[in-house]
């Protein structure tokens, strides 16, 4: 499993047109350690560009999932993950380095289509963590946060829908 993103956006601001592009790749692998528990992780890279400023972020995301069968080939799962991000921003004034570590709880649904393919959907229910930015020659800014999402809100936190290959 995993994710791939490509996006381009043009924003009209009073100072002129601003172009923003984003690319992200994060393959995820896991192994069932029991019939209903899987452990795994993801390695990711993302890049955000706007004007001549570019931010590269590298992510390591260990995770564990517990599955419960609802009916037939439909399962619900709970996932806990500990993503760690290391970022670098260039051509800004000044250049900066970033670091973040978070704890995430994400429920989801998994529909087994056949013995090698499934469709899943999940969203981040709770995200708690720490992040910092250190500009070159400047003071470090730090952020501690706790974010919760509910099904009743207009946006599910980091909703993802995709396919999973089983082998």
């Amino acid at each position: 499993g995993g994710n791939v993103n490509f996006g381009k956006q043009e924003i009209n601001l009073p100072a002129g047109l601003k172009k923003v592009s984003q690319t992200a790749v994060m393959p995820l692998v896991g192994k069932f350690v029991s019939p209903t528990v899987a452990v795994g992780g993801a390695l990711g890279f993302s890049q955000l560009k706007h004007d001549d400023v570019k931010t590269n972020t590298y992510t390591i995301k260990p995770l564990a999932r517990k599955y419960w069968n609802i009916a037939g080939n439909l399962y619900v799962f709970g996932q806990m993950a500990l993503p760690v991000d290391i970022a670098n921003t260039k051509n800004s004034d000044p250049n900066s380095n970033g670091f973040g570590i978070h704890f995430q709880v994400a429920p989801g649904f998994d529909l087994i289509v056949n013995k090698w393919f499934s469709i899943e959907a999940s969203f981040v229910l709770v995200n708690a963590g720490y992040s910092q930015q250190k500009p070159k020659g400047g003071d470090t800014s730090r952020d501690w946060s706790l974010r919760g999402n509910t099904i009743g809100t207009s946006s599910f936190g980091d909703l993802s829908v995709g396919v999973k290959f089983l082998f």
Side-chain angles (χ1 to χ4, degrees):
N3 70 47
V4 177
N5 297 330
F6 300 102
K8 194 169 231 175
Q9 183 178 25
E10 292 183 355
I11 304 168
N12 286 312
L13 298 173
L17 184 65
K18 185 174 197 169
K19 295 183 180 184
V20 178
S21 65
Q22 182 174 7
T23 305
V25 176
M26 186 176 297
L28 181 143
V29 296
K31 175 157 180 60
F32 280 93
V33 294
S34 80
T36 61
V37 176
V39 295
L43 292 174
F45 170 77
S46 65
Q47 184 176 77
L48 178 66
K49 290 183 191 178
H50 57 88
D51 298 330
D52 59 348
V53 178
K54 178 170 65 172
T55 301
N56 292 330
T57 304
Y58 301 90
T59 302
I60 300 168
K61 183 178 180 177
L63 59 91
R65 281 187 180 178
K66 169 72 174 154
Y67 289 84
W68 294 273
N69 184 257
I70 296 175
N73 289 343
L74 182 61
Y75 292 81
V76 65
F77 65 84
Q79 174 179 294
M80 291 187 297
L82 192 68
V84 177
D85 298 319
I86 298 168
N88 179 277
T89 302
K90 294 192 178 205
N91 294 336
S92 62
D93 188 21
N95 292 347
S96 67
N97 293 315
F99 171 81
I101 184 166
H102 296 267
F103 173 74
Q104 296 176 337
V105 176
F109 292 95
D110 198 357
L111 177 64
I112 308 293
V113 177
N114 59 35
K115 68 180 184 177
W116 58 270
F117 182 76
S118 78
I119 299 170
E120 70 175 37
S122 67
F123 70 99
V124 177
L125 183 63
V126 176
N127 183 7
Y130 168 80
S131 60
Q132 70 178 33
Q133 284 290 326
K134 171 79 171 121
K136 187 175 182 179
D139 293 331
T140 301
S141 63
R142 294 172 179 82
D143 177 43
W144 291 93
S145 64
L146 173 62
R147 186 182 83 210
N149 295 301
T150 64
I151 294 174
T153 63
S154 61
S155 73
F156 296 109
D158 301 326
L159 175 67
S160 67
V161 177
V163 297
K164 181 170 63 181
F165 298 99
L166 308 167
F167 47 98

